[in-house]
Amino acid sequence: MTGHRSALIGIWSAPFIVAGLTAGFLLAGLFPPPPADATAAEATEKLFGDVTALRIGLLITSIAVTGFTFWGASVASQMRRIEGVGAPMARVMLAGSAMLTTMTIMYCFLFLGWVLREGRPEEMTLAVYDLFWVPFVGILMPTMMMGAALAITVFGDRSPTPLFPRWVGWLSAWYAIGSLAGALVPFFTTGPFAWNGGIAFYTAFTEFFVWFFPVTIVARRAILAQLAEAEAA
Amino acid sequence: MSTITPDVERSTREELGSGKRVPGEIGVWIFVLADLVIFGILFAAVLVMRGDDPAVFAEGREHLSQGLGLLNTLILLTSSMFVVLGVDAAREGRGSTARALFAAGVACGLAFIGVKAIEWGGHLSDGFTAHSNDFYMMFYVTTGVHLLHVVIGMAGLLGVRAMVRNGIDPQRRALVESGGIYWHMVDLLWLVIYALFYLAV
Amino acid sequence: MSGLLAKPAFRVWLFLAAATVLSWWLGADHGLGSGEAVIAVVLVIAFVKAWFVGQWFMELRTAPASLNAWFYAWLVACATAVVVLYLAG
């Protein structure tokens, strides 16, 4: 089966995503994450302190995360080769990556809508602040689905020359379970499990990239090999 | 016909002359080491929070049931022994013995969960939730995350048990060993958790 | 019985169970601020037990040196962090 050069776009999205998220998060003040036990005044300062930077940062973030859907499609294109016709897990990978993109964009625009006008009541700003951060850190299901789908695919690869090395399956299984690190965000306003906590934010985000980078490299290798095979034929 | 993937091939073939081979397969070690790092971070978090309020942690520790903690530690150690013997039996082709030993390991896991339920039930009826103070927050979350791993491990043992029927080929051997390795990791982590919460803080 | 005792798994289990009971005896009844050094020892014992589980149960004993190196790295880093943070707290 010949591959598609366009699958490489998803692979090259990876540095684009990282650069975009770094710039966007820093500009918007999303990194380091502000406290989950903020007061209404503190939340207002966080959002309205530098509205221009917030707006630009959130827009950059929203655009950067579109890369995840391209990435998901690229990885899914290789998963399809393993699964064959129908490829249900490849579809889950794609769906999960699209969800990740969508969820992030939606919550960025929640903030963008809120800061459109001045003079919002502080208590309401605090509510919006919470409504961004709890989902932003706590919605781990899309990436969990992606990890699970890849693990299932790799472990189910019965061919004598598997497309992805088996350790990718194990890494993905680890990530799928480990992504639960963010699950306690709805319960706490302080400590390591709050949205700005050492476990829920820092560890969980690190885990994502520990999974994301090796998978990107392995997928790229597979895509290039597929394209080379087609050219040789 | 069995399919032996290159990874498993590499794990099972002995490195020339050295007699060494990777137990299980390399992937399970990636899983295990990554999990160990995460728990390491969790342990550090427990001690950092303790540093902020040692009295609360000391008091919390005094509320824990030393008897049940010790019992659970011994239960998991015993389960690991069963699993080691089970993997040995599986490799030697003694399928029914292996299956019985894995079942014993799972039974110990159930006992562990039962004891944990009694413990937590006791704390909850005394009015201590994860929001009561930092000690209880770290206690419930740490032992809770560990409990999740116990459940996953038990599922792994049951899966491995199902695989062991009439002898196992190298690919299955790698998976059987991997299931054992994961379970021993669960045991290992509890050894530290027990020392941390029941004996140290 | 001698058949069981001959098995390494059983001997290691016996040792680990004994080490656990020893740790419990050392640590269970200490009050705040007393015996910090003893408790540090209890923590180290826990990691020594972990080492035994790794070597004898997880079969790292017959595993390549590179794999052992990673396990040791975690063991030493984690044990150090735990003991240091405990004593500093």
Side-chain angles (χ1 to χ4, degrees), chain A residues 32-78:
Chain A
D37 57 352
T39 61
E42 286 163 354
T44 302
E45 171 55 31
K46 255 302 172 178
L47 264 74
F48 290 95
D50 186 344
V51 178
T52 309
L54 181 76
R55 287 176 178 142
I56 297 174
L58 289 171
L59 283 168
I60 291 175
T61 302
S62 306
I63 294 169
V65 295
T66 61
F68 281 124
T69 302
F70 284 90
W71 186 88
S74 295
V75 177
S77 76
Q78 299 307 297

Side-chain angles (χ1 to χ4, degrees), chain A:
Chain A
M1 182 173 53
T2 57
H4 301 273
R5 291 214 77 86
S6 62
L8 287 171
I9 296 175
I11 301 303
W12 286 108
S13 297
F16 164 75
I17 292 167
V18 172
L21 287 181
T22 306
F25 274 38
L26 287 173
L27 265 173
L30 300 181
F31 186 87
D37 57 352
T39 61
E42 286 163 354
T44 302
E45 171 55 31
K46 255 302 172 178
L47 264 74
F48 290 95
D50 186 344
V51 178
T52 309
L54 181 76
R55 287 176 178 142
I56 297 174
L58 289 171
L59 283 168
I60 291 175
T61 302
S62 306
I63 294 169
V65 295
T66 61
F68 281 124
T69 302
F70 284 90
W71 186 88
S74 295
V75 177
S77 76
Q78 299 307 297
M79 291 165 74
R80 266 188 62 216
R81 294 172 68 196
I82 299 171
E83 292 185 273
V85 183
M89 293 301 110
R91 289 174 177 176
V92 172
M93 167 63 79
L94 185 59
S97 66
M99 279 173 66
L100 176 62
T101 300
T102 310
M103 294 276 123
T104 313
I105 292 174
M106 273 176 58
Y107 287 97
C108 286
F109 273 79
L110 174 72
F111 266 1
L112 287 170
W114 192 251
V115 302
L116 183 66
R117 278 177 251 277
E118 305 254 308
R120 309 282 200 196
E122 284 194 346
E123 279 304 322
M124 290 180 73
T125 299
L126 182 63
V128 170
Y129 174 85
D130 291 342
L131 284 170
F132 171 92
W133 277 106
V134 172
F136 193 71
V137 180
I139 295 182
L140 42 92
M141 299 76 187
T143 53
M144 187 191 284
M145 287 163 54
M146 291 160 74
L150 187 55
I152 291 167
T153 303
V154 173
F155 285 131
D157 189 352
R158 300 251 173 264
S159 82
T161 49
L163 205 58
F164 292 142
R166 271 178 74 93
W167 61 259
V168 174
W170 287 100
L171 183 69
S172 300
W174 167 76
Y175 174 65
I177 299 167
S179 64
L180 286 168
L184 295 169
V185 162
F187 291 93
F188 298 104
T189 55
T190 61
F193 311 111
W195 78 56
N196 61 318
I199 305 283
F201 184 89
Y202 294 91
T203 304
F205 271 80
T206 305
E207 283 180 8
F208 173 74
F209 287 107
V210 165
W211 173 75
F212 182 72
F213 287 133
V215 173
T216 304
I217 292 168
V218 165
R220 175 177 172 273
R221 214 183 288 159
I223 293 169
L224 288 175
Q226 182 187 25
L227 291 169
E229 263 173 50
E231 239 159 82

